[in-house]
Amino acid sequence: MTDLAHTLTTHLAAAFAAEGLDPALGAVKRSDRPDLAPFQCNGAMAAGKAAGKPPRVVAEAVAARIQGADGIASVEIAGPGFLNIALTDALLASRAQSIADDARSGATPVATRRRVIVDYGGPNVAKPMHVGHLRASIIGESIKRLFRFRGDEVWGDAHFGDWGFQMGLLIADFEERFGALDPDGALSAEADARLAAVTLDDLQTIYPEAAARAKTDEAFRDRARKATTRLQSGSVAYRAIWAKYRALSMAAQKEDFHALGVDFDLWKGEADVDPLIPGMVEDLRGKGLLVEDQGAQVVHVSGGETKKRKLDDGTVIDAPFPPPLLVVSSEGSAMYGTTDLATIVERAKDFSFDLCLYVVDQRQGDHFEQVFRAAVIAGYATRESLEHIGFGTMNGQDGKPFKTRAGGVLRLADLIEMAREKARERLRADDIGSDFSAEEFEDVAHKVGIAALKFADLANFRGTSYVFDLDRFMSFEGKTGPYLLYQSVRIKSILRKAEEAGVKAGPISIAHANERTLTLALDAFDAALVSAYDKRAPHFLAEHAFNLAQAFSGFYTNCPILPEKDEAVRASRLALAQATLKQLALTLGLLGLEAPERM
């Protein structure tokens, strides 16, 4: 059974057609004034102009045709011709039953299955993951789960930054500390022993120091650039350093990702496409797309558009926009855009993707426009198959990107532990878990803490920025992750008690106002999924989860389940509770949240 809006649209489309009008005018949507009626149709407004009649006259004719139709309890005309539609309890009960019986809780799959790659996460090797990686990981994971649930074949790719200038910095630093290496030979026994002794903590100190030095020490910066080129050219010694540092970083990053409930099908990095770059460069050259520019080689991607740009001497010019994509640097090394372009080549070859979604900070929009245009010009992909899914920043109370109190960038692992500790405090303050084992308490605290972080992010449209407020995020009241977990646990408790009492769910019937409200909330799941999917925006699912939890709260308060004396009503309400838990768990899962068994 389709959702209620589509069911009603079928009736209204037929009524408009019977009046000699376009059936598309019969589109029904959720009402802007649910206090008047749950659904509305505004087609009479446009139909009046087409028919040369007052919209209200058209609305009256349409209303007369559908009045008393199957499932329609009443049709009221409001204002100049809006149609407000109420449903029969029988139709609501039928819809609730279909949702309860459906393993997918009323969700429809995509009409055409696609092969989709979601590129998200994107941490750089040698740097600890920080709060800046939080949004990409959370949003990308949810989008991956959403597309997979709707029926697409999906791969999530972490796409590590492991092949650029940061690696040259680390190699130059290694040589500074332990002596110059022969880039054409293997590491000496002494250098190999020193490399083996480097720990993750060492690495997280080494990189910031090397990056800071490169900003002021031109000679060191030049050595790092040359080291980058030699690394990419196959230096055995340099690649040994690269492999060690990459392994250290990836182990820590996988641990952070796992703590967030984020996982990938592909753990690839920029280095994985290095073998493809020489052939790609030759292909670009053969197609006449590679142009020399001040010693570097670029691909021009502007279609004639320009943008004002200020030169170093202060002169303002109209420069091509987007600017050319730098493919090979003057030192001969591959650049950020080079590996991104080669990654498109690799993904097209290995996965024949229909769609590749890049979940990356929206401030990278110009870069992806360069890469996407270059891919299209070169014939590696179509423009429709490449999308940048941008997002805003997580800010502090000052409205600027979140920092530690000392003004530094907060490590992601530290942020996760902050959330866990705040969850522990909140659970203890509410006397939750006093009878839990230490292991269960920690498991619940982790789930509550992660739910607080993730839902606070996903409840906002991804393109907006939001203020980090862990106290507010951790509340068990209001629009928060912990509130949703609490509602899930409440339903689980009801179902356990029902099982212990031998109470069984039965056919659903609808009679009470809160039963109607809950059914309408359940019915809204598919529309929320479609909106989230089409707009690549998980906040539609977050909103649905909250609305569903609130509808159940009202239902639970006003419609007793186990205390109900009427056996049929009790069985019906238990079935509604089961349907709610199933759909809520599905929605939370798509957001990357997991509810414990008890709280």
Side-chain angles (χ1 to χ4, degrees):
M1 180 180 180
T2 59
D3 67 21
L4 294 170
H6 282 90
T7 299
L8 293 174
T9 294
T10 301
H11 289 302
L12 272 293
F16 274 95
E19 292 295 318
L21 298 165
D22 184 356
L25 295 168
V28 173
K29 67 171 189 173
R30 293 268 171 156
S31 177
D32 297 329
R33 289 287 307 277
D35 56 316
L36 300 178
F39 295 94
Q40 70 182 64
C41 174
N42 302 335
M45 307 303 292
K49 184 176 182 180
K53 300 177 183 178
R56 192 173 180 92
V57 171
V58 175
E60 289 171 348
V62 170
R65 288 185 178 277
I66 64 171
Q67 197 73 254
D70 186 32
I72 295 178
S74 66
V75 183
E76 302 290 341
I77 301 172
F82 301 112
L83 291 166
N84 292 328
I85 308 162
L87 311 180
T88 63
D89 287 344
L91 178 59
L92 289 170
S94 176
R95 177 58 177 157
Q97 191 67 61
S98 71
I99 292 170
D101 294 340
D102 182 9
R104 292 174 55 83
S105 269
T108 57
V110 291
T112 303
R113 193 169 190 248
R114 294 182 291 183
R115 297 168 65 85
V116 181
I117 294 174
V118 185
D119 181 320
Y120 65 108
N124 283 320
V125 163
K127 304 179 187 178
M129 289 176 65
H130 54 76
V131 293
H133 296 106
L134 183 71
R135 298 210 73 189
S137 303
I138 290 173
I139 296 169
E141 180 71 16
S142 183
I143 287 175
K144 180 192 73 178
R145 295 182 182 205
L146 168 64
F147 272 65
R148 187 170 288 159
F149 180 69
R150 294 214 70 220
D152 289 320
E153 187 175 7
V154 184
W155 296 268
D157 189 354
H159 196 64
F160 293 95
D162 63 350
W163 204 234
F165 181 58
Q166 78 272 21
M167 300 311 304
L169 287 171
L170 291 169
I171 292 167
D173 174 88
F174 187 90
E175 291 189 305
E176 287 275 323
R177 291 170 187 265
F178 307 125
L181 304 171
D182 175 8
D184 298 321
L187 288 178
S188 66
E190 180 182 1
D192 191 55
R194 291 184 181 277
L195 179 62
V198 176
T199 67
L200 181 64
D201 287 340
D202 294 332
L203 194 58
Q204 292 174 354
T205 300
I206 291 169
Y207 178 78
E209 291 178 355
R213 182 179 174 187
K215 292 178 181 178
T216 57
D217 187 335
E218 185 175 348
F220 178 73
R221 184 168 64 249
D222 184 58
R223 288 196 296 276
R225 285 174 175 159
K226 289 178 179 177
T228 303
T229 300
R230 288 172 175 171
L231 167 69
Q232 295 175 356
S233 298
S235 165
V236 176
Y238 289 0
R239 291 203 176 190
I241 298 171
W242 165 82
K244 168 69 173 181
Y245 288 170
R246 185 178 190 272
L248 283 174
S249 293
M250 285 188 66
Q253 289 165 358
K254 285 185 177 184
E255 185 177 337
D256 286 346
F257 280 131
H258 180 72
L260 273 178
V262 172
D263 199 8
F264 298 93
D265 307 286
L266 307 172
W267 295 88
K268 287 180 171 284
E270 294 169 337
D272 288 293
V273 299
D274 180 64
L276 298 177
I277 290 176
M280 182 188 75
V281 169
E282 285 307 307
D283 181 63
L284 293 172
R285 184 176 287 113
K287 291 175 178 175
L289 298 175
L290 207 59
V291 178
E292 186 167 335
D293 186 344
Q294 300 180 33
Q297 296 176 69
V298 304
V299 173
H300 288 281
V301 296
S302 173
E305 308 99 315
T306 62
K307 189 175 183 179
K308 299 290 184 185
R309 181 164 68 88
K310 183 180 287 188
L311 301 178
D312 292 340
D313 63 3
T315 305
V316 177
I317 64 170
D318 287 321
F321 185 82
L325 179 70
L326 180 57
V327 177
V328 182
S329 74
S330 57
E331 287 87 9
S333 59
M335 307 304 291
Y336 181 34
T338 319
T339 53
D340 275 349
L341 189 60
T343 298
I344 292 173
V345 173
E346 180 197 45
R347 288 170 175 167
K349 172 177 170 289
D350 293 349
F351 299 98
S352 300
F353 67 85
D354 300 301
L355 182 63
C356 190
L357 305 176
Y358 292 78
V359 185
V360 184
D361 188 328
Q362 60 194 7
R363 291 172 292 187
Q364 294 293 312
D366 288 351
H367 165 75
F368 283 108
E369 187 62 25
Q370 287 177 293
V371 173
F372 294 171
R373 288 191 183 203
V376 172
I377 292 169
Y380 301 150
T382 65
R383 188 60 184 84
E384 296 74 22
S385 69
L386 303 169
E387 288 186 33
H388 173 214
I389 310 301
F391 53 83
T393 56
M394 184 179 81
N395 297 332
Q397 297 293 333
D398 59 359
K400 298 177 181 179
F402 188 80
K403 302 281 186 181
T404 65
R405 290 183 179 178
V409 177
L410 183 66
R411 290 177 53 184
L412 183 58
D414 293 335
L415 179 68
I416 293 171
E417 183 52 36
M418 281 173 56
R420 286 196 195 103
E421 182 55 34
K422 183 64 70 173
R424 294 182 191 109
E425 292 175 8
R426 185 53 56 89
L427 290 171
R428 292 185 183 113
D430 291 356
D431 195 28
I432 297 174
S434 57
D435 59 336
F436 293 177
S437 67
E439 292 76 13
E440 184 179 8
F441 183 83
E442 282 301 307
D443 178 66
V444 172
H446 177 77
K447 288 173 178 173
V448 169
I450 294 301
L453 285 179
K454 293 177 113 173
F455 190 81
D457 190 301
L458 296 173
N460 302 279
F461 171 62
R462 56 175 170 75
T464 62
S465 299
Y466 68 95
V467 174
F468 181 78
D469 184 346
L470 195 52
D471 286 326
R472 180 168 58 85
F473 298 167
M474 202 63 68
S475 174
F476 282 98
E477 297 178 354
K479 196 173 182 180
T480 69
Y483 167 76
L484 295 177
L485 299 196
Y486 181 77
Q487 291 295 342
S488 298
V489 169
R490 169 190 275 181
I491 304 173
K492 290 180 180 182
S493 176
I494 294 168
L495 299 185
R496 280 197 300 270
K497 290 176 181 176
E499 184 176 10
E500 291 167 1
V503 178
K504 303 290 186 183
I508 295 176
S509 60
I510 302 296
H512 193 281
N514 287 100
E515 293 172 339
R516 297 184 190 101
T517 300
L518 181 56
T519 297
L520 290 170
L522 289 165
D523 174 66
F525 181 43
D526 191 50
L529 279 168
V530 172
S531 293
Y533 181 89
D534 290 346
K535 296 178 173 64
R536 288 65 160 132
H539 78 281
F540 287 104
L541 291 175
E543 187 71 21
H544 174 73
F546 178 65
N547 291 339
L548 181 59
Q550 283 206 308
F552 182 81
S553 183
F555 166 78
Y556 178 75
T557 300
N558 297 290
C559 301
I561 301 176
L562 299 183
E564 173 59 46
K565 301 301 182 185
D566 186 303
E567 185 177 343
V569 173
R570 183 171 63 241
S572 169
R573 289 177 178 173
L574 185 61
L576 280 171
Q578 289 177 339
T580 301
L581 179 61
K582 179 174 63 177
Q583 192 180 96
L584 186 56
L586 278 174
T587 310
L588 293 180
L590 293 172
L591 296 172
L593 279 59
E594 182 183 1
E597 287 303 307
R598 58 178 186 151
M599 281 170 61

